[in-house]
Amino acid sequence: MRCCLPAPLAALPDPCEVLRAGALLALRAASAAAHRTRPHSSHVAVVNLELVTLTEDRAVITWFTGIPGTDDGLGHMLPALTDGEVVYGTHPGRLNRVAGEHRPTAHHHVELTGLEPGQTYYYQARSRGVAATPTALHFARGNAAGTSLHGFGSRGGPYAFTTPQPPPGRHLLSIALCNDLHLGETTAGLVTGIPLFRGVSQRPGLAPYPEVMGLALVEEARRRGADLLLAAGDISAGGAPEDLAHARRILDGFGEHGQDYFVVRGNHDRPGPEHGESGDAFRRGFAGDGGPGYFGHDVGGLRILGLDTYEKRGNGADSGGLGEEQLSWFRRRLQENRDQPTVVFGHHPLTVRDSVFPVAAGQRLNRRQARSILKAYAAAPGVFLHHAGHTHRNKRTILSRAPHVTLQEVSAVKEYPGGFTLLRIFSGGYALNFYKVRGAEALEWGERSRRLAGGLWPHHALGRSVTDRNSVATHDFSGVTRPAAAMAGSGARGTAVLPGQRSAPD
């Protein structure tokens, strides 16, 4: 099986970076060994606290409870079923509000609602009276539990977050952004030749984890009010027809392909070396009669451009690439109406910044093409968002060449933290909010798979700050109208635009 981790982990390019990664792994291994042998004074360990989602009026907080001193064979505690609650308030000494769970669990997921925009809240998550401690992101110099360092240095907080102001104007529509489902994969994080990257598999007797997470994605996206869904590549683990067909059946649970949801190719979706063009199962399944894997779509004045960032023959570990025909089409589409609000999505990011792991060419788009796209963005003020996957992490990047465009990498559906980003568009701006998928099996697998990369995976995948997975920006969407079908609650409807065609004016 090809490696499902980002390409640089499979092709460590620089000896210094290899030594750096090895040092991090050694530190992590020593920490894990100490954890397994250290006596615990409490009956339950309450760990891995994360402020996952933060909007203007709600917050989603997760944590794990385990049995101290136990080991499931992967360096992780066995789960302890407990109660869970979050106490919170607007003063650290008065946590006078409580949000709890309906039943005991080891994988806690509590949502605070009715929060006020622009307000600082202090909170503490508890199970059996024991306060939860945050996921440690010290290798990434990150903060998993709040928007400030309040509470750090103590054991259990309280920690603090400040809710953002909502985007200006009225809500128009919401779009679920996701990637890296990897249908057909059986071992997550397997890297040949690196013993500590031995991978994590599903527990015997349970459904394959890509299926569990894919089904949970569809359910959670609909629960969160998504009108459209954009899947940015690596739908399958290796481009096998049966895996792509399975992915299609799962995504069809959200709605109709080409109308309610849209898919672009990732490097894992390429045809295998034993297949020619006629064996391109991705194009047959998602591009319609073997057409191009890139497209334009218009929804009430919002332009959606999908890119095939692996439109080439290659081994899958090399950089992404657009054919010259696609690149010319893309630049032409942007020039047609430079001010039209536009979201672009494709599998490979344009650039990769601030990575814990070594960065090789295979983790991003071809540099020359990335510069060409950024140049096109600089001349197209309507473009506001470029959504990418491939890195399996949450990361928000703003570049000086096109500061009006948010480059948003979204973590994989198929493994920790396991979820999607909800893009909420308002008449005067937009919000990006990451949600973990729910359901008992999905939350269990999400916790199990946090042990990828020798336990370093949270430092890479979660996002070093809350703003890497939750942000608000202003943008003029005054020309966008809310689709009638979305107002009726049955999903947005738009007009598909084939390459080379112009969308009809609203």
Side-chain angles (χ1 to χ4, degrees):
M1 175 180 294
R2 289 191 295 270
C3 168
C4 65
L5 290 174
L9 299 185
L12 301 174
D14 185 292
C16 293
E17 292 181 327
V18 174
L19 290 173
R20 176 173 175 266
L24 293 179
L25 286 169
L27 287 170
R28 176 66 186 183
S31 174
H35 173 77
R36 289 196 295 272
T37 58
R38 186 186 304 121
H40 292 264
S41 59
S42 61
H43 183 62
V44 63
V46 188
V47 297
N48 299 340
L49 176 69
E50 294 169 0
L51 176 61
V52 180
T53 311
L54 182 62
T55 78
E56 64 274 9
D57 62 0
R58 66 187 58 223
V60 176
I61 297 165
T62 65
W63 68 97
F64 173 75
T65 46
I67 303 172
T70 62
D71 191 331
D72 65 356
L74 294 171
H76 198 59
M77 290 180 289
L78 294 172
L81 300 181
T82 70
D83 62 302
E85 67 175 12
V86 175
V87 292
Y88 62 106
T90 56
H91 188 280
R94 292 193 302 274
L95 306 182
N96 52 7
R97 299 169 68 176
V98 182
E101 295 175 296
H102 298 300
R103 61 183 182 277
T105 181
H107 309 95
H108 303 271
H109 187 288
V110 173
E111 185 162 354
L112 313 182
T113 60
L115 305 180
E116 297 179 10
Q119 175 67 56
T120 297
Y121 291 89
Y122 303 86
Y123 77 96
Q124 190 175 68
R126 301 171 179 169
S127 288
R128 293 188 190 172
V130 180
T133 56
T135 293
L137 299 181
H138 43 275
F139 292 150
R141 299 179 182 176
N143 180 347
T147 57
S148 75
L149 293 178
H150 184 92
F152 285 82
S154 64
R155 184 162 182 83
Y159 305 102
F161 62 81
T162 301
T163 52
Q165 293 294 335
R170 69 189 187 285
H171 178 253
L172 298 174
L173 75 159
S174 297
I175 303 174
L177 310 176
C178 66
N179 41 262
D180 297 281
L181 282 72
H182 285 232
L183 266 295
E185 184 177 280
T186 58
T187 304
L190 181 64
V191 181
T192 303
I194 305 181
L196 285 174
F197 290 171
R198 57 179 175 172
V200 179
S201 300
Q202 177 67 289
R203 286 201 299 113
L206 296 181
Y209 61 85
E211 177 181 328
V212 168
M213 302 302 281
L215 290 170
L217 159 72
V218 168
E219 181 179 353
E220 189 70 10
R222 295 188 69 86
R223 180 188 291 122
R224 296 294 176 183
D227 301 302
L228 297 171
L229 183 145
L230 308 181
D234 278 6
I235 308 305
S236 67
E242 61 272 20
D243 296 332
L244 287 163
H246 192 185
R248 176 68 185 261
R249 290 191 296 271
I250 289 174
L251 293 173
D252 280 348
F254 183 85
E256 182 178 345
H257 175 249
Q259 185 165 267
D260 301 312
Y261 76 91
F262 301 87
V263 180
V264 292
R265 184 204 304 269
N267 55 303
H268 280 272
D269 300 317
R270 72 193 188 284
E274 70 277 12
H275 301 299
E277 285 298 321
S278 61
D280 194 336
F282 179 85
R283 285 195 176 186
R284 288 201 311 272
F286 291 104
D289 298 324
Y294 54 93
F295 58 85
H297 189 81
D298 191 279
V299 179
L302 174 69
R303 180 169 54 188
I304 299 171
L305 298 179
L307 299 180
D308 182 345
T309 64
Y310 207 76
E311 192 191 33
K312 65 176 187 176
R313 295 186 181 276
N315 63 12
D318 50 345
S319 62
L322 281 63
E324 287 303 320
E325 180 179 340
Q326 179 183 183
L327 193 58
S328 296
W329 168 86
F330 179 66
R331 290 190 294 238
R332 188 168 62 250
R333 288 302 308 274
L334 292 182
Q335 292 168 1
E336 287 174 0
N337 190 344
R338 297 185 302 168
D339 295 319
Q340 183 177 7
T342 302
V343 56
V344 180
F345 76 113
H347 187 62
H348 292 77
L350 302 184
T351 186
V352 178
R353 304 288 178 91
D354 305 319
S355 177
V356 172
F357 297 118
V359 178
Q363 202 169 351
R364 57 181 177 257
L365 195 66
N366 171 278
R367 284 188 182 276
R368 178 184 61 81
Q369 294 186 343
R371 287 194 294 267
S372 177
I373 289 174
L374 283 172
K375 183 178 180 181
Y377 286 169
V383 180
F384 66 95
L385 176 66
H386 184 115
H387 157 223
H390 192 53
T391 56
H392 296 204
R393 68 173 185 166
N394 291 311
K395 179 66 172 71
R396 176 178 179 266
T397 301
I398 304 293
L399 299 179
S400 59
R401 293 193 64 180
H404 57 286
V405 182
T406 297
L407 307 180
Q408 183 67 54
E409 299 164 53
V410 178
S411 66
V413 171
K414 60 106 175 178
E415 68 202 9
Y416 171 89
F420 67 97
T421 290
L422 188 67
L423 165 63
R424 295 180 294 133
I425 297 177
F426 293 71
S427 54
Y430 63 96
L432 293 164
N433 299 111
F434 179 76
Y435 287 92
K436 288 184 179 180
V437 297
R438 285 186 286 179
E441 288 189 3
L443 290 174
E444 178 183 348
W445 170 253
E447 183 65 27
R448 183 175 175 84
S449 60
R450 74 161 54 234
R451 285 155 283 180
L452 300 180
L456 291 175
W457 200 240
H459 300 262
H460 171 80
L462 178 65
R464 67 174 57 195
S465 69
V466 174
T467 53
D468 267 335
R469 54 189 179 271
N470 299 277
S471 62
V472 178
T474 58
H475 193 85
D476 182 10
F477 294 100
S478 57
V480 175
T481 59
R482 182 162 171 77
M487 290 189 289
S490 59
R493 295 292 183 266
T495 302
V497 183
L498 299 176
Q501 292 184 335
R502 292 172 178 253
S503 57
D506 292 320

